[in-house]
Amino acid sequence: MAHLNERWAWPALPSSKPQFLSALQPLDFEGVDPRQQWSLFPYASATYDRVEEDMKYRAGVDVFWRPSTNFQLTATLNPDFGVVEADDAVFNLTADETFFPEKRLFFLEGQDIFNTSPRSEASSGLKMIVVNTRRIGSSPVPPEIPPDLPPDILIPQRELLRPADLLGATKVTGQFGRVRYGLLGAFEQDSKFVAGDRVLSQDGRSFGALRMLYEDDYNAAYRGLGFISTIVAHPDGDALVHGIDFHRLSTGGTWDINGQLLYSDSDDKGDGFGGLFDVDYTPRQGMKHTVQLSWYDDTIDINELGFQVRSNLTDGRYSLQWVKSDLEKIRDLNVQGFARYAVNGEGYKVNGGAGVDLSITLNNLHNILLDLSHFPKRFDDRNSFGNGTFEKTANTSGSVAYETDTAKPFSGWGRIHSSNESAGGRFTMIAGGFSWRPGHNLSLKFELQHLRSSAWLLHQEDRNFTTFISRGWTPKFSFDYFASARHHLRLVFQWVGIRAQENEFYELEEDGTNLIPVLKPPGPPDDFSLSELSFQLRYRWQIAPLSDLFVVYTKGDSLFTELLKFDDLFRRSWNSPLVDQLVVKLRYRFGS
């Protein structure tokens, strides 16, 4: 009940209760006569690229066929993905990849069968997904540079970052008896890259996934045993992943056990092995113990189609969650403590510490959020980008946040965070925002973050590092207007601007893990500015059920340049973006 900021359910299943689906009230319907369903969704789109001053036309079709409740086939020919939804603007200069969620409807529908463990929903460094469909149609494999290409001729960044076009994709999901299954296949078109007056070619990739899952409830609320296999094929090298997963939820939900064993085989890294094991123990409502264990050898790699933060790791994490409701002056109290310890294959502790998070919901539905954590000295084997392992200083971090009742027409929030940097110094973030709904069909949201660091440590080249005094601003604005149930206008704007000035210089010792202070190496200043821009104005007209006309204007940029003032940095990104296009797309449904 959004206008009350309350969650209603029958039967009553609060989030602190260990069961959900297995505890729902069964309902029986009489006279149900399932019938075959089919649909064709032809589309046509026109895209005007303002950067290249080029107009492109596309046409294709989506197919949906469901002959029974136990089988469904969806397919798409010459799809036009990625023009309707914009990703957040995110800057990341670390060795760890940023995860972007899937937003394309073709891949979202029926995606749950390919999720092999609760880690697919994790939002921290524990995230692991065997089938990450954002890989399909992502930036293509860079082309081989011909030896006769002059060294001053480079492939423009926008050529390397633009998504690959797909020839088509198909997905089959269904069930026979107690076995659910899923099949997924997708095929990219060959990509063209313009370098000066030369056009370079690169073959497209082919993706495939097979999933089988046996489920029953013998002596348990739920039991499952699954298998998954994926392949990414390309002339430069193939990548295979196989996995076995198991699940058990005890009667009453006291024990919830999930695990997976993984094997990868790629032409680049060879064979690799890994696994994970998660246990939730809920002795009573409101109290939960969680143990999460991970092990990956140094050659496992599922990132051609999946998502894996890193390899070469043995990791253990314990957390305790306590939820208490209906106190005198507090509606809900949620306390969660954790402890974590992780080492790499060489025995270096790369993660380890403890912390506590506190969430308080007051009777007026305002929220107070507090967190505090401490990580003693540990090692970083990734952010030297293959140039060694270095020791990081201890990190004590904390934050406090307050947000008002989101059911009100106007609500706001604020947050302050502080933590240690890797080589000393402090990082601070001050953030706030508001949401305003002046009417039932109009809403506005605004967020603003200010980032400041006194010693932001970044790798430069070889074994050299520099700390930076940096400042950053990240505004975000969104606007939604529904003229009627069939007409939706949406505007989303986000910008990340960073200014960083060189401060101190370090060199990683040759046969050790210490960062040794040194004089500035010869060369130009390391000062830089960074800009990430995402802007989208979208109009949607629902002509008929599941039939839409989209008009979408998108502008985006990713800029790494010399030190600039914030207004000059934003102006350069806005006036000379990597992406600047207008798309008109019509999609209409025919079927039964």
Side-chain angles (χ1 to χ4, degrees), residues 173-193:
T173 58
Q175 180 171 345
F176 52 89
R178 295 188 176 275
V179 177
R180 289 199 296 146
Y181 61 88
L183 289 167
L184 174 66
F187 309 92
E188 291 179 346
Q189 297 183 23
D190 295 344
S191 298
K192 305 294 184 182
F193 302 84

Side-chain angles (χ1 to χ4, degrees), residues 19 45 51 73 85 175 209 337 361 541 549 568:
Q19 288 178 273
S45 69
V51 177
L73 180 146
E85 293 284 351
Q175 180 171 345
T361 302
W541 173 26
L549 172 68
D568 293 333

